[in-house]
Amino acid sequence: MKKAIIASALSWALLAGCSQPSQSTQTTNQAPSASSIVAQPAEQPTLNATQYSNQFVDELWQLYPEFALYVGYYDYDAQLPIADQQRREQELQWLKQQQTSISQLLSSELTEHQRTDLSLMANFVERAIWQLETFKSWQWDPSEYNVAGGFAQIINGDYKPEIERLRTVLSRLEHVPAYYQAAQANISNPAIPQTRLAIQQNQGVASVLSDELLAKALASDMTDAEKVEFEARLSAAQIAVASYVDFLTGLLPEAEGADPVYRLGEAMYEQKFAFDIQSQLTAKQLYERALADQKMIHGKMAELTTELWPKYFADQAMPAEPMQAIAQMLERLSQVHAKPTEFKAAVEQQIPELIAFIKANDLMTLDDDKPLVIRHTPEYMRGYAVASIQAPGPYDAKANTYYNVMPLDDMPADQAESFLREYNQYLMQVLNIHEAIPGHYTQLVYANKSPSLIKSIIRNGAMIEGWAVFAERMMLEAGYGDFEPELWLMYYKWNLRVVTNTILDYSIQVLGMEQEQAMDLMVNQAFQQQAEAAGKWRRATLSQVQLTSYYAGFSDILVLRDKAKQAWGEDYSIKRFNETFLSYGNAPVPVIAELMLK
């Protein structure tokens, strides 16, 4: 899943989860300053855990109004925080106050749900402090600065009349120049791949802060004075974005050649892994497990290739080398795929089939009232993932969920063909299960209904990605595709990608893997098309640890399913497991396991 870019000193990866207070019905354009929030003592011994959680979140939305937009909390929608040194100091002061309060509460008498909620809040706060003081991506990752996401949430939203949202945009536009001035002041020794991504995505800001937006404002019922101000502020914002792009372009190396990768090293990688994944394993242990599973999957693929060979190559002897035979079979099956102009339509066409299968097999309850909109990935979000889900939070749960699919229209013919061979008629089905139903889309619908709002908002990436990977296996085991060996072979290729993601990420960040070695791993050992492997190399140089979340979460869920079967006995059903698991929001799998099996 991707993940929208938050314009704040904290990245969306950090703000992918928090807590929340009760829904407010009024919207204000004035948020308390960070300093005023910090000035109020967060530690109040008379508060119980539930009261403290509500207070924590009330203050959180005030301090991070940009993130609040992404969970549908719009009281501070007109605010655009400026990520300067003063703000970072205020954030740290507030975060350390929360750290003290949470530590004291964790030593008191708590219910299991209160204790696990507080443990998630503790990890969030500790990770935020680590991000600001140690990781410092606000210095070296220019792609953290992008105003498009917040503006798009407001412009495309339906939470208040359009004229009011346009006035909100007008208020936010005033702060865009200062936002990018602070961004430029923060950047120091930027990582080159992240700089190129920042240039690409900030060039896409023009698709949001556009002439179309101006025309909408000029045609509205705003006053003449407001319209004049809107045009002036929009122009100043566009200039600020262009200046930031020019600034970043000037930081790129003049010489052509491969860009140096920003590598964390073992110590920093293990720290980030512990915060992000929240697994009982270390990063190194997960890497070693992935190497073992890689061999196991190769064996299963070899068995299926042997079964299928007479059907597709009756007049040819199967190569003695299993990897060569597997590659030849996969290449044959990959030839059936959609046309470039029809890929998005093919995705749309399959969604009703997935819904029908889940209902017919009673795998879980689906909510038919939550809209899923399939669209081409917006320009300001491109350059990172092939497909992604952008879902609303619990405050605005009825808003659209967007399934973003990379457009192929402008892609060179050879690259488009390579892409479509990767996402052929088989793997496109697995992709849709993963991203949409019953993967990310379904899981996030359930998360918004979780009784624990903290577990809904504090999003653990390994649980979210792990569920989507588990959903693929669960659907095929339930008979989706009628146990067709071709689909299972392609599924194992996809599952091998999950395992390879972990091997790739750890090898790049800790072991110093270079691009040539990475391409060999992906193309020759994981059977990926060149276009897919090249895109994954780029993605792996733009992120750290996130690629391990798929395998880490999936492995933990498989173990939990086996334990649930044993613990529940005759009361076990896949529907009960699915719905119980998803009822705990976006909490880490070890936390869910503790609560499910009690």
Side-chain angles (χ1 to χ4, degrees), residues 550-562:
Y550 305 85
Y551 179 61
F554 172 62
S555 300
D556 285 347
I557 295 172
L558 286 182
V559 171
L560 174 57
R561 184 181 64 173
D562 290 342

Side-chain angles (χ1 to χ4, degrees), residues 7 30 65 109 353 549 553:
Q30 298 298 322
E109 186 173 346
E353 299 174 7
S549 61

Side-chain angles (χ1 to χ4, degrees), residues 2-15:
K2 170 112 155 47
K3 326 304 173 214
I5 297 176
I6 293 277
S8 160
L10 296 180
S11 67
W12 172 243
L14 166 61
L15 290 178

Side-chain angles (χ1 to χ4, degrees), residues 68-111:
L69 284 172
Y70 284 86
V71 297
Y73 189 85
Y74 302 115
D75 278 25
Y76 311 117
D77 57 352
Q79 305 302 309
L80 181 61
I82 309 303
D84 55 18
Q85 179 61 28
Q86 180 183 6
R87 179 174 177 79
R88 283 190 293 276
E89 291 172 356
Q90 293 165 347
E91 289 175 12
L92 282 169
Q93 185 179 350
W94 182 82
L95 289 164
K96 289 179 179 180
Q97 286 176 350
Q98 309 318 306
Q99 192 176 37
T100 300
S101 298
I102 293 170
S103 177
Q104 291 177 347
L105 281 168
L106 282 171
S107 64
S108 64
E109 186 173 346
L110 302 166
T111 68

Side-chain angles (χ1 to χ4, degrees), residues 156-429:
N156 299 327
D158 192 29
Y159 61 95
K160 61 184 178 182
E162 182 178 76
I163 183 66
E164 294 182 32
R165 287 185 283 112
L166 286 171
R167 288 189 171 116
T168 297
V169 170
L170 175 61
S171 297
R172 287 172 61 87
L173 284 172
E174 180 182 8
H175 306 293
V176 173
Y179 173 93
Y180 280 108
Q181 288 171 9
Q184 290 190 35
N186 289 340
I187 300 303
S188 175
N189 298 319
I192 300 305
Q194 283 77 1
T195 301
R196 294 195 190 279
L197 178 66
I199 292 171
Q200 177 186 350
Q201 293 190 332
N202 273 280
Q203 287 173 335
V205 173
S207 66
V208 177
L209 303 183
S210 62
D211 292 341
E212 181 182 351
L213 174 61
L214 176 59
K216 184 180 294 186
L218 296 179
S220 73
D221 291 332
M222 297 174 75
T223 67
D224 290 343
E226 286 175 323
K227 292 177 181 179
V228 170
E229 191 66 28
F230 196 102
E231 186 169 11
R233 290 183 181 180
L234 179 62
S235 176
Q238 291 169 336
I239 291 171
V241 176
S243 296
Y244 185 59
V245 170
D246 289 342
F247 164 74
L248 295 178
T249 302
L251 298 178
L252 294 176
E254 295 181 4
E256 296 291 334
D259 291 332
V261 178
Y262 187 89
R263 304 179 196 271
L264 297 188
E266 184 172 9
M268 186 77 77
Y269 189 88
E270 286 286 3
Q271 292 172 29
K272 193 172 194 298
F273 180 87
F275 280 125
D276 291 2
I277 304 302
Q278 294 179 264
S279 171
Q280 296 176 343
L281 300 177
T282 65
K284 184 176 182 180
Q285 288 170 335
L286 187 72
Y287 165 75
E288 292 171 345
R289 177 183 289 184
L291 291 175
D293 271 2
Q294 180 191 49
K295 295 180 180 178
M296 179 272 293
I297 295 173
H298 283 161
K300 290 184 178 296
M301 295 179 76
E303 293 174 4
L304 287 164
T305 297
T306 301
E307 177 184 348
L308 288 168
W309 194 267
K311 179 178 178 180
Y312 291 93
F313 300 101
D315 57 345
Q316 296 182 32
M318 191 172 75
E321 170 53 50
M323 296 291 281
Q324 183 181 346
I326 295 169
Q328 189 172 339
M329 180 60 67
L330 290 172
E331 184 62 26
R332 177 67 174 269
L333 297 178
S334 298
Q335 293 174 8
V336 182
H337 56 70
K339 297 178 181 178
T341 57
E342 299 172 354
F343 184 70
K344 176 173 168 287
V347 169
E348 293 172 326
Q349 183 178 355
Q350 198 207 352
I351 300 302
E353 299 174 7
L354 296 174
I355 294 173
F357 180 84
I358 291 169
K359 291 182 176 180
N361 291 272
D362 199 27
L363 299 180
M364 60 196 307
T365 303
L366 299 177
D367 190 334
D368 296 328
D369 295 329
K370 298 295 185 291
L372 177 63
V373 178
I374 301 171
R375 66 178 183 179
H376 283 141
T377 306
E379 290 184 35
Y380 67 89
M381 293 174 61
R382 293 178 191 173
Y384 185 77
V386 169
S388 65
I389 285 288
Q390 187 174 345
Y395 289 111
D396 195 16
K398 294 183 179 180
N400 291 338
T401 294
Y402 293 101
Y403 182 179
N404 301 314
V405 180
M406 184 172 68
L408 307 180
D409 300 354
D410 297 329
M411 189 179 289
D414 59 335
Q415 292 183 26
E417 175 64 19
S418 179
F419 174 91
L420 290 166
R421 282 176 178 259
E422 183 71 24
Y423 295 94
N424 52 69
Q425 68 168 353
Y426 300 106
L427 281 192
M428 187 184 69
Q429 297 176 65

Side-chain angles (χ1 to χ4, degrees), residues 135-150:
F135 195 59
K136 295 184 179 180
S137 54
W138 52 270
Q139 285 185 332
W140 54 263
D141 186 356
S143 69
E144 289 193 0
Y145 304 101
N146 187 322
V147 297

